[in-house]
Amino acid sequence: MKIARVIGTVTLSRMHPSMNGYKLRCVEVVESADQIQVNQDDAKPIGGDTIVAWDLVGSRNGDWVALAEGPESAAPFRPEVKPTDASIVAILDHCEVQTS
């Protein structure tokens, strides 16, 4: 699981029928703990990889989220098969990172 921040919404003109009813979000993945502490309440880009993820929790732009990738991202849909590589599975209210 990774931490990411929602930076936008993806709009599709056509999609696979199994994707109806879900939103896709553009998220920026956190690469280091410093990015969270410096930018926790800031809207500036954090410089991580940008990916598209299924939004399972109703996140909004600027929200810090928990991101599941790979086979785990499709787990909430079982036994159905969904074409997904990443899913937003939680909105983070607070994140405290201790660095040594």
PDB file of all heavy atoms in Angstrom, residues 9 73 82 91:
ATOM      1  N   THR A   9      -9.258  14.558 -11.705  1.00  0.00           N
ATOM      2  CA  THR A   9     -10.241  13.553 -12.095  1.00  0.00           C
ATOM      3  C   THR A   9     -10.030  13.196 -13.557  1.00  0.00           C
ATOM      4  O   THR A   9      -9.726  14.064 -14.371  1.00  0.00           O
ATOM      5  CB  THR A   9     -11.672  14.096 -11.916  1.00  0.00           C
ATOM      6  OG1 THR A   9     -11.839  14.462 -10.547  1.00  0.00           O
ATOM      7  CG2 THR A   9     -12.718  13.080 -12.287  1.00  0.00           C
ATOM      8  N   SER A  73      -5.478  -4.361  -5.757  1.00  0.00           N
ATOM      9  CA  SER A  73      -6.379  -3.273  -6.154  1.00  0.00           C
ATOM     10  C   SER A  73      -7.703  -3.796  -6.700  1.00  0.00           C
ATOM     11  O   SER A  73      -8.710  -3.105  -6.653  1.00  0.00           O
ATOM     12  CB  SER A  73      -5.712  -2.367  -7.183  1.00  0.00           C
ATOM     13  OG  SER A  73      -5.553  -3.033  -8.417  1.00  0.00           O
ATOM     14  N   LYS A  82     -12.112  -6.972 -12.748  1.00  0.00           N
ATOM     15  CA  LYS A  82     -12.130  -5.578 -13.199  1.00  0.00           C
ATOM     16  C   LYS A  82     -10.752  -5.227 -13.749  1.00  0.00           C
ATOM     17  O   LYS A  82      -9.738  -5.662 -13.220  1.00  0.00           O
ATOM     18  CB  LYS A  82     -12.444  -4.628 -12.040  1.00  0.00           C
ATOM     19  CG  LYS A  82     -13.772  -4.870 -11.368  1.00  0.00           C
ATOM     20  CD  LYS A  82     -14.889  -4.275 -12.138  1.00  0.00           C
ATOM     21  CE  LYS A  82     -16.194  -4.405 -11.341  1.00  0.00           C
ATOM     22  NZ  LYS A  82     -17.319  -3.881 -12.038  1.00  0.00           N
ATOM     23  N   ILE A  91      -9.265   7.314   2.674  1.00  0.00           N
ATOM     24  CA  ILE A  91      -8.880   8.723   2.751  1.00  0.00           C
ATOM     25  C   ILE A  91      -8.197   8.903   4.094  1.00  0.00           C
ATOM     26  O   ILE A  91      -8.727   8.504   5.131  1.00  0.00           O
ATOM     27  CB  ILE A  91     -10.114   9.650   2.643  1.00  0.00           C
ATOM     28  CG1 ILE A  91     -10.777   9.473   1.284  1.00  0.00           C
ATOM     29  CG2 ILE A  91      -9.709  11.102   2.874  1.00  0.00           C
ATOM     30  CD1 ILE A  91     -12.094  10.209   1.130  1.00  0.00           C
TER      31      ILE A  91
END
